[in-house]
């Protein structure tokens, strides 16, 4: 109001309301500083080292830069960059603590504690009659959206962009022009570091302008009648088109000027700052191009949504009156005539029946379960029938003595084929025993023979001929006996070197 006794001033009241809303938008950031003292996982001695409001502003900055018409910032990307920012505040703390702080700040900005994921603040309102009342201001900082594939991404709200760039309820068009004029002035004076900060603010104002248009088009998709397409939106589109066309010309000229300065710069620091400015301005040009394309199709979008929402015929389904359409006609019929329609009605109203099919969680344990042991008292047990043991073949003592007698060759060597032929004449099973003993002699165990006190050992060597005799065939062997002396005893202990 101009004075206490005069007429109320509506403009002053609206200005007060704008400032109160702007102040409310900063409350969630200040609340982070208050609530960090209540976190039991954050040690009291290091709480002051973490500036949560700075972390929140950095997150909003990253989300705003990554925003486009159809997409935004991914959670993992925002958390990864925030962890690096947090690590600069307390580089000696563990990385797990940095990650937990990043998640806590991000969830606080989304406000996962409330169902609607929004913030609510009270502010005072003085109407044109001078009466004071409290109103509720609902707003959001970061919003979760889902794309066509169902993946979640983050978007910064208009309130978040206002808090970030300091454009609290200011005209975006005039702020954008003022920022670019200031940017040109700073570039001309060679103050590239200050020019970079101005260019970043100009880019965020561009994002804010695009977000305003996107919000109107998104509201049109939900309900075309909720958006003023008669006056407000057409004026907004015309202003946006004029803004984009003028800004593209200005930004092209600025980008060309900075590029020339970058190429001519001799100082490495100035060349790097100029290159960063070129990237930022080119990003603004790209965003303005995308905004221009969306603005050109906005009116066609409105007509399509209007046809879809207002002129599409409503689906009508006739309601069924069970008493009039079913019960009364059935009662007038006989039981035989009433059965078919009643069966059809019950079948369709009850729905299809499905048999129980075991799932993997129940089928696999059932297949792997051991068989159930039957109780010994349940049924009469059958008397088991023992299986007769198979008689294994062997050699008698007479056959062993006959085989040793054939292989007693102290001063001579005989062929295996001759021994087998002679053994077959003595006893038909005897050649098998002789062949087994000769095969053992092909690799004689001299050491065990000496330890057991034997005076000779049987030796078999190849005879370079083949044979087929007494059911055996293969390389023929020369068999003889070698005498052993006790002095040649071999022990299992290794030789000791001299002097050990």
């Amino acid at each position: 109001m101009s004075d206490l006794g005069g007429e109320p001033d509506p403009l002053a009241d609206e200005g007060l309301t704008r400032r109160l809303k702007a102040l409310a938008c900063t409350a969630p950031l200040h609340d982070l500083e208050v609530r960090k003292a209540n976190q039991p996982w954050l040690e009291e001695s290091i709480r002051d080292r973490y500036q949560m409001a700075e972390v929140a502003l950095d997150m909003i900055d990253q989300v705003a830069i990554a925003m486009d018409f159809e997409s935004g910032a991914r959670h993992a990307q925002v958390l990864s960059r925030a962890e690096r920012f947090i690590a600069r505040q307390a580089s000696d703390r563990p990385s797990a603590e940095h990650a937990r702080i990043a998640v806590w700040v991000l969830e606080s900005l989304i406000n996962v504690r409330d169902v609607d994921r929004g913030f609510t603040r009270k502010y005072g309102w003085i109407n044109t009659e001078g009466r004071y009342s409290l109103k509720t201001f609902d707003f959001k900082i970061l919003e979760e959206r889902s794309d066509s594939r169902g993946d979640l991404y983050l978007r910064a709200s208009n309130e978040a962009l206002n808090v970030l760039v300091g454009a609290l309820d200011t005209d975006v068009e005039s702020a954008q022009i003022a920022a670019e004029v200031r940017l040109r002035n700073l570039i001309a004076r060679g103050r590239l570091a200050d020019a970079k900060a101005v260019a970043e603010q100009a880019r965020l104002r561009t994002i804010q302008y695009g977000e305003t248009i996107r919000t109107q088009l998104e509201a049109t998709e939900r309900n075309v009648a909720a958006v003023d397409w008669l006056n407000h939106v057409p004026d907004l589109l015309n202003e946006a088109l004029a803004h984009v066309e003028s800004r593209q010309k200005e930004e092209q000229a600025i980008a060309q000027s900075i590029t020339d300065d970058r190429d001519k710069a001799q100082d490495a620091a100035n060349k790097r700052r100029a290159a960063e400015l070129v990237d930022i301005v080119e990003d603004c040009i790209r965003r303005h191009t995308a905004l221009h394309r969306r603005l050109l199709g906005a009116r066609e979008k409105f007509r399509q949504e209007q046809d879809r929402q207002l002129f599409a015929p409503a689906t009508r389904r006739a309601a069924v009156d069970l008493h009039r359409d079913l019960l009364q006609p059935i009662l007038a019929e006989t039981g035989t005539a009433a059965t078919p329609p009643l069966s059809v009605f019950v079948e369709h109203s009850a729905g299809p029946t499905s048999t129980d099919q075991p799932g993997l969680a129940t089928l696999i344990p059932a297949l792997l379960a051991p068989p159930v042991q039957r109780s010994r008292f349940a049924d009469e047990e059958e008397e088991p029938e023992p299986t007769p043991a198979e008689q294994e073949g062997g050699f008698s003592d007479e056959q062993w003595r006959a085989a040793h007698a054939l292989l007693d060759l102290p001063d001579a060597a005989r062929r295996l084929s001759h021994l087998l032929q002679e053994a077959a004449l003595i006893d038909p099973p005897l050649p098998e025993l002789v062949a087994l003993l000769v095969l053992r002699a092909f690799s004689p165990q001299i050491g065990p023979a000496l330890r057991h006190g034997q005076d000779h050992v049987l030796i078999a060597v190849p005879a370079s001929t083949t044979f087929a005799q007494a059911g055996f065939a293969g390389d023929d062997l020369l068999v003889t006996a070698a005498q052993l002396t006790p002095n040649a005893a071999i022990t299992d202990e290794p030789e000791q070197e001299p002097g050990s």
Side-chain angles (χ1 to χ4, degrees), residues 70 73 145 194 201 265 267 293 398 427 447:
E70 290 83 11
R145 304 287 183 85
D194 295 335
Q201 290 185 355
D267 186 17
R293 184 171 58 252
E398 291 78 4
D427 189 1

Side-chain angles (χ1 to χ4, degrees), residues 115 186 193 250 284 307 332 383:
V115 177
L186 291 173
E250 290 290 334
C284 289
D307 293 341
E383 188 70 23

Side-chain angles (χ1 to χ4, degrees), residues 1-155:
M1 285 183 254
S2 57
D3 54 70
L4 296 177
E7 294 296 328
D9 187 357
L11 294 179
D13 294 339
E14 292 178 2
L16 175 62
T17 301
R18 287 197 300 268
R19 292 194 296 272
L20 290 173
K21 288 184 177 180
L23 186 62
C25 293
T26 63
L29 304 185
H30 300 300
D31 187 51
L32 289 173
E33 295 293 335
V34 176
R35 290 195 299 114
K36 73 178 181 181
N38 300 326
Q39 306 306 316
W41 46 269
L42 194 59
E43 297 180 10
E44 184 177 358
S45 58
I46 54 95
R47 287 173 183 168
D48 292 338
R49 298 176 60 184
Y50 291 112
Q51 299 301 312
M52 302 303 182
E54 295 180 8
V55 178
L57 286 174
D58 179 73
M59 282 188 176
I60 298 171
D61 192 3
Q62 299 300 333
V63 174
I65 293 175
M67 282 170 51
D68 208 338
F69 274 101
E70 290 83 11
S71 62
R74 301 296 174 182
H75 291 68
Q77 181 183 9
V78 175
L79 291 175
S80 176
R81 293 179 178 178
E83 288 175 22
R84 294 197 295 268
F85 183 83
I86 296 170
R88 294 187 176 184
Q89 296 183 350
S91 58
D92 56 332
R93 300 297 298 174
S95 57
E97 185 175 274
H98 300 158
R100 188 164 187 178
I101 291 175
V103 173
W104 179 70
V105 173
L106 180 60
E107 291 180 349
S108 299
L109 293 178
I110 301 173
N111 199 15
V112 297
R113 297 174 296 175
D114 291 348
V115 177
D116 58 353
R117 303 296 177 92
F119 299 94
T120 302
R121 289 293 184 274
K122 298 287 187 181
Y123 68 95
W125 166 260
I126 301 176
N127 58 19
T128 56
E129 299 177 357
R131 295 180 180 178
Y132 180 85
S133 60
L134 287 178
K135 287 192 174 183
T136 301
F137 176 44
D138 297 325
F139 64 96
K140 294 183 179 181
I141 299 296
L142 295 182
E143 301 177 83
E144 286 183 322
R145 304 287 183 85
S146 59
D147 54 17
S148 57
R149 297 178 300 178
D151 298 331
L152 291 178
Y153 63 88
L154 295 171
R155 294 190 68 90

Side-chain angles (χ1 to χ4, degrees), residues 417-454:
S417 57
H418 297 166
L419 292 172
L420 295 176
Q421 184 178 7
E422 185 176 347
L425 296 175
I426 298 174
D427 189 1
L430 190 58
E432 183 178 359
L433 178 58
V434 173
L436 291 173
L437 293 175
V438 171
L439 290 178
R440 292 182 59 187
F442 189 77
S443 179
Q445 302 293 322
I446 299 176
L450 289 173
R451 284 194 294 270
H452 288 84
Q454 298 179 9

Side-chain angles (χ1 to χ4, degrees), residues 356-396:
D356 293 336
Q357 297 294 335
L360 288 178
T362 57
L363 179 60
I364 298 302
L367 293 176
L368 299 180
V372 180
Q373 298 292 335
R374 295 176 59 187
S375 174
R376 57 177 299 184
F377 301 107
D379 298 318
E380 183 178 355
E381 293 185 357
E382 298 181 358
E383 188 70 23
E385 297 181 1
T387 303
E390 296 182 359
Q391 297 293 332
E392 297 182 358
F395 301 101
S396 61

